[in-house]
Amino acid sequence: MEQKKKIVIVDDDLAYLKMMRGSLAQDYSVIPTTNGAQALNIIKVARPDLVLLDYMMPGMDGADVLAKLRSNPRTAAIPVMFLTGKNDSESVHKVLGEKPEGYILKSMSILKIAQVIEDYFKMKDRQEEMDQL
């Protein structure tokens, strides 16, 4: 049996974190955490297949977490998608300027979010297959 892909979800909103975990736990191994500093430690140890990272958090925000991940050779290649509640063009450009693998609007339905994640993994798997040819 294929092992479930591992996703770390970082969000300071506990209700949102619980909803995401509950919705994704059937298909993925989900590791929730509520702050950036804790996330960095978890990510180093867990080596997830994807990090869903809240962009706006108190203390260390998503951009800071991503910068620290990218600056560490052990975590630089771990894919990150930002979770954001802001969808105005200025905010989107700022988020994309950090060069994540993508971003997910928190206002999207959980089914749509799950589809974005599934599509990402399918695309990544296809890319890995092509790289092996």
Side-chain angles (χ1 to χ4, degrees):
M1 191 174 105
E2 192 177 327
Q3 194 172 1
K4 286 183 178 181
K5 294 208 183 285
K6 203 180 309 178
I7 299 176
V8 171
I9 304 175
V10 188
D11 200 309
D12 60 313
D13 180 340
L14 271 175
Y16 188 78
L17 196 61
K18 284 181 180 178
M19 188 236 359
M20 288 288 288
R21 181 183 191 183
S23 299
L24 298 174
Q26 184 175 342
D27 297 316
Y28 304 101
S29 175
V30 179
I31 305 166
T33 184
T34 57
N35 68 67
Q38 192 178 48
L40 289 171
N41 291 327
I42 289 171
I43 292 164
K44 279 183 210 163
V45 174
R47 312 278 304 150
D49 298 290
L50 179 63
V51 176
L52 298 179
L53 180 59
D54 187 8
Y55 192 74
M56 297 186 66
M57 294 184 291
M60 188 183 299
D61 69 11
D64 293 336
V65 173
L66 182 59
K68 288 190 183 326
L69 289 173
R70 295 293 189 249
S71 68
N72 181 338
R74 290 190 55 217
T75 57
I78 294 173
V80 173
M81 284 188 184
F82 279 122
L83 293 167
T84 182
K86 296 191 172 225
N87 65 354
D88 59 280
S89 63
E90 185 179 322
S91 297
V92 169
H93 277 78
K94 186 175 180 186
V95 166
L96 292 177
E98 307 293 338
K99 304 224 183 327
E101 273 62 34
Y103 74 99
I104 294 171
L105 294 174
K106 288 183 173 186
S107 59
M108 292 167 47
S109 73
I110 192 62
L111 289 174
K112 180 89 171 131
I113 292 172
Q115 188 64 54
V116 168
I117 294 167
E118 184 181 332
D119 289 347
Y120 169 76
F121 281 130
K122 282 181 182 172
M123 185 265 320
K124 191 167 194 287
D125 290 345
R126 276 196 300 272
Q127 185 64 49
E128 287 172 5
E129 286 173 17
M130 295 300 289
D131 290 347
Q132 291 174 1
L133 294 178

